[in-house]
């Protein structure tokens, strides 16, 4: 499934903000270099729905290239329909589903991507189809297989399109898209499905 088909009928909706920074600086582009994993593999078992505590991106070969805590405060859109995480950590969108083996709703985690400083979700830009997203909650660990990656116009999270549909076991990661050191008018999405 390619993200471009979701671009149909994009309407004004939730956008991620705070991603462009005016101060000049040089930030190394994200890559897939190995980092230390903080989540141990767990045997498959039912995981009750719970807020995410930690998130990792891994290659298809299980090499971890992004590992981060998740902000413990659920994120809500503000009065201007904006999602703006309070710090560099990814944040679970509290209006979406809770990750768990029997969750019927799509789970959404958003984070910043700056043009002049580092943040964990900068790594979304190097995610590939076939990668693995590992989410740890207080009730267990879940693995999701990445099915699509790419940019979509800001506002897509609440637009009238397939991206907004409630799909059991689906996880969406999103940030502000930054290319060649410059912010674009898009958000970058990673769409994954619960494994097993």
């Amino acid at each position: 499934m390619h993200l471009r088909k979701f671009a149909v009928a994009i309407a004004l909706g939730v956008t991620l903000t705070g991603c462009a920074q005016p101060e000049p600086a040089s930030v190394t582009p994200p890559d897939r270099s190995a980092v230390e994993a903080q989540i141990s593999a767990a045997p498959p078992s039912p995981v009750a729905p719970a807020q995410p505590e930690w998130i990792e991106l891994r290659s298809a070969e299980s090499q971890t290239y992004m590992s981060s805590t998740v902000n413990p405060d659920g994120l809500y859109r503000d009065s201007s329909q904006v999602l703006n995480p309070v710090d560099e950590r990814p944040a679970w969108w509290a209006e979406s589903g809770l990750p768990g083996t029997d969750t019927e709703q799509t789970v959404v985690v958003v984070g910043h991507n700056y043009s002049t400083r580092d943040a964990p979700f900068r790594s979304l830009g190097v995610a590939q189809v076939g990668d693995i997203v590992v989410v740890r909650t207080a009730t267990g660990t879940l693995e999701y297989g990445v099915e699509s990656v790419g940019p979509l116009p800001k506002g897509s999270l609440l637009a009238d399109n397939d991206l907004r549909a409630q799909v059991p076991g689906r996880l969406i990661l999103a940030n502000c898209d930054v290319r060649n050191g410059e912010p674009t008018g898009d958000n970058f999405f990673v769409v994954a499905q619960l494994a097993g």
Side-chain angles (χ1 to χ4, degrees):
M1 184 177 352
H2 193 277
L3 278 175
R4 287 291 172 198
K5 76 180 195 180
F6 292 131
V8 178
I10 299 298
L12 181 62
V14 171
T15 60
L16 296 172
T17 64
C19 298
Q21 299 296 312
E23 69 275 2
S26 176
V27 175
T28 305
D31 62 27
R32 294 170 64 91
S33 297
V35 298
E36 184 177 349
Q38 300 297 314
I39 303 174
S40 300
S45 63
V47 175
Q51 188 170 327
E53 297 176 339
W54 203 283
I55 189 166
E56 293 185 347
L57 291 173
R58 297 179 180 168
S59 68
E61 297 77 29
S62 295
Q63 176 179 295
T64 302
Y65 61 91
M66 191 278 305
S67 182
S68 176
T69 59
V70 176
N71 189 305
D73 299 325
L75 181 64
Y76 294 87
R77 55 192 145 143
D78 65 20
S79 60
S80 59
Q81 300 296 315
V82 171
L83 288 175
N84 191 12
V86 297
D87 59 24
E88 276 67 31
R89 294 175 294 177
W92 165 67
W93 184 17
E95 297 171 65
S96 72
L98 287 166
T101 51
D102 294 325
T103 297
E104 295 293 319
Q105 298 173 309
T106 297
V107 176
V108 179
V109 179
V110 300
H112 287 297
N113 182 13
Y114 301 105
S115 57
T116 59
R117 62 182 183 187
D118 201 11
F121 261 26
R122 290 182 69 238
S123 295
L124 296 187
V126 295
Q128 299 174 2
V129 172
D131 283 356
I132 301 162
V133 182
V134 184
V135 175
R136 185 176 71 205
T137 72
T139 60
T141 299
L142 300 155
E143 288 191 6
Y144 299 81
V146 174
E147 295 184 338
S148 59
V149 299
L152 285 174
K154 289 189 178 186
S156 298
L157 277 177
L158 279 187
D160 182 18
N161 60 54
D162 290 342
L163 186 64
R164 192 65 186 128
Q166 295 303 319
V167 177
R170 181 161 70 171
L171 172 68
I172 295 175
L173 309 179
N175 70 6
C176 292
D177 191 30
V178 174
R179 298 289 165 176
N180 301 316
E182 295 295 325
T184 71
D186 295 330
N187 288 130
F188 195 86
F189 290 91
V190 172
V191 180
Q193 189 66 36
L194 188 63

